[in-house]
Amino acid sequence: MNIVLNIAVVGIIYVGSVQIQEGDVAPGTVMAAITYLSQILNGMMMLAMIFSTLSRGMASSRRLQAVIDTESEIRQEASLSAEGDGSRGSVRFENVSFVYTDNGTEVLHGINLSVAPGETLAVIGATGCGKSSLVSLIPRFYDAAEGRVLVDGVDVRAYDPAALREKVTVCLQKSELFSTTIRDNIALGRPSASEAEIRSAAAAAQADGFILQQPEGYDTPVAERGMSLSGGQRQRIAIARALLKRGEILIFDDSTSALDLKTEAALYEALNRDYADVTKIIIAQRIASVRSADRIVVLDGGTIAACGTHDQLMRTSPVYRDIYDSQLREEATA
Ligand SMILES: Nc1ncnc2c1ncn2[C@@H]1O[C@H](COP(=O)(O)OP(=O)(O)OP(=O)(O)O)[C@@H](O)[C@H]1O
Ligand SMILES: [Mg+2]
């Protein structure tokens, strides 16, 4: 379109100059012709741009629609008994193995584990050992290849997925923030929550302080993907969102990795005080984060290497002692 426009201008100047020399037209007429022509061609250029934006939009909407229309493979299995054991917030893994079907490698093997209602269970282990995979079986993001996972005594496959995910709250390893206000980002946890509930969730997540320091407090807009906030601030907003939901089971997948130890300790103290009846499963890399948990599970190569309190593990588990020593060394060199 630009080439057409410029060639047309050159053409008019050429034809116009010949005609001016012959005395047929005035120079002003040629100038007017150039102006009119550019205006018309500019209009056509805009039209062409609208068409290209439109076709791009249509391609994107087709793609989005295909994603939205995808049927989930996770469905309620009516044949299984939905008879629970009456507990509220218990989790049990029975001989669970797990394989990612796309590459076929076995990530978890022979997992047996019970978590009591209200208990704080920490999961620790090397990167890539299967911690995130283990907890993703509880809200049934994936199905176990063998064995079964029970929530409140009911096989997770017997639940309506929506009902199961009402009970289980996961604060993902990488949480998304959206480009709306801080308040709305937290309220996503439970859209019907009152202002007071939002504030108390933010206070427990140790986010209240920095939110109030923002220029517009809770009404401060967050940039796309939370880019206007620090890593730790983003994590605390995601934690506040998870706490607001008030599920029976709360899973933190490395959700406090960007917090300093003091803030993290204050968060866990608030959790133990205000969310005592909620079952908490906490994945962490640092031993300092999990020392105070009721029980610590050490995951090694997809199996449970040891399980117990910090002191028990220090005595009995070489894998745990290894992690402890390496972190102590890191601290010393730092
Ligand atoms: N969606 C996936 N598809 C296929 N393989 C996966 C997928 N997610 C993880 N894996 C593989 O499963 C193994 C365990 O991954 P997982 O995410 O559970 O580790 P992790 O213990 O949470 O690690 P980190 O501490 O780094 O978060 C890894 O070897 C990884 O390559
Ligand atoms: Mg992980």
Side-chain angles (χ1 to χ4, degrees):
M1 289 299 288
N2 262 319
I3 291 171
V4 169
L5 178 77
N6 289 316
I7 290 176
V9 171
V10 171
I12 291 175
I13 291 173
Y14 178 72
V15 175
S17 62
V18 172
Q19 288 187 345
I20 289 169
Q21 273 173 0
E22 287 171 357
D24 288 349
V25 292
T29 314
V30 176
M31 286 314 294
I34 291 175
T35 312
Y36 289 140
L37 187 86
S38 344
Q39 272 178 0
I40 291 167
L41 285 177
N42 264 328
M44 284 166 72
M45 229 144 81
M46 288 293 178
L47 209 66
M49 229 135 72
I50 288 172
F51 274 120
S52 90
T53 313
L54 209 68
S55 60
R56 242 189 293 173
M58 256 148 59
S60 304
S61 94
R62 265 200 302 276
R63 175 83 188 102
L64 280 176
Q65 202 56 47
V67 173
I68 291 167
D69 289 344
T70 307
E71 287 264 344
S72 171
E73 287 166 24
I74 302 282
R75 279 209 210 96
Q76 182 173 14
E77 281 173 32
S79 57
L80 293 167
S81 156
E83 194 74 36
D85 58 6
S87 65
R88 201 175 172 283
S90 73
V91 179
R92 198 159 81 239
F93 287 81
E94 285 180 354
N95 229 342
V96 171
S97 301
F98 175 60
V99 179
Y100 281 107
T101 39
D102 46 351
N103 57 10
T105 46
E106 194 178 54
V107 176
L108 297 170
H109 182 75
I111 302 282
N112 283 296
L113 180 67
S114 282
V115 194
E119 188 179 1
T120 302
L121 180 89
V123 182
I124 202 162
T127 170
C129 70
K131 305 182 293 296
S132 300
S133 310
L134 178 78
V135 296
S136 70
L137 301 179
I138 303 171
R140 210 180 161 206
F141 292 156
Y142 298 97
D143 271 332
E146 267 172 58
R148 49 185 203 152
V149 180
L150 302 120
V151 168
D152 295 348
V154 180
D155 193 317
V156 288
R157 286 169 298 185
Y159 281 100
D160 170 15
L164 176 65
R165 288 162 194 175
E166 271 309 304
K167 286 174 181 275
V168 184
T169 311
V170 190
C171 192
L172 294 171
Q173 194 158 13
K174 200 175 169 306
S175 294
E176 291 293 350
L177 297 187
F178 301 97
S179 51
T180 165
T181 60
I182 291 180
R183 176 184 294 103
D184 289 348
N185 263 298
I186 297 176
L188 278 174
R190 183 154 50 92
S192 61
S194 68
E195 180 71 21
E197 287 171 317
I198 292 178
R199 286 187 184 237
S200 87
Q206 310 301 313
D208 204 40
F210 87 81
I211 294 174
L212 293 176
Q213 277 169 11
Q214 300 284 315
E216 292 164 69
Y218 280 83
D219 292 314
T220 310
V222 178
E224 190 74 44
R225 294 177 162 248
M227 284 310 176
S228 52
L229 298 167
S230 78
Q233 291 171 336
R234 271 195 295 252
Q235 282 191 334
R236 277 176 284 167
I237 291 181
I239 292 171
R241 180 193 287 167
L243 293 180
L244 184 67
K245 194 176 137 196
R246 279 260 171 209
E248 292 174 19
I249 299 162
L250 188 60
I251 300 171
F252 281 173
D253 188 350
D254 221 359
S255 307
T256 55
S257 57
L259 302 188
D260 59 81
L261 289 176
K262 194 167 148 231
T263 312
E264 194 180 38
L267 164 71
Y268 287 139
E269 204 184 299
L271 278 186
N272 288 336
R273 192 180 57 234
D274 304 339
Y275 297 81
D277 55 338
V278 178
T279 309
K280 297 169 271 297
I281 300 179
I282 295 165
I283 298 180
Q285 299 285 355
R286 295 177 297 199
I287 288 200
S289 320
V290 301
R291 272 184 96 129
S292 60
D294 296 325
R295 252 180 335 144
I296 304 169
V297 164
V298 184
L299 216 57
D300 186 28
T303 56
I304 294 181
C307 180
T309 62
H310 172 74
D311 294 330
Q312 287 169 350
L313 290 175
M314 281 304 283
R315 279 197 308 273
T316 56
S317 168
V319 182
Y320 188 78
R321 260 201 312 271
D322 257 5
I323 302 175
Y324 184 82
D325 288 341
S326 68
Q327 293 189 3
L328 216 59
R329 258 200 311 280
E330 254 168 48
E331 245 170 59
T333 39

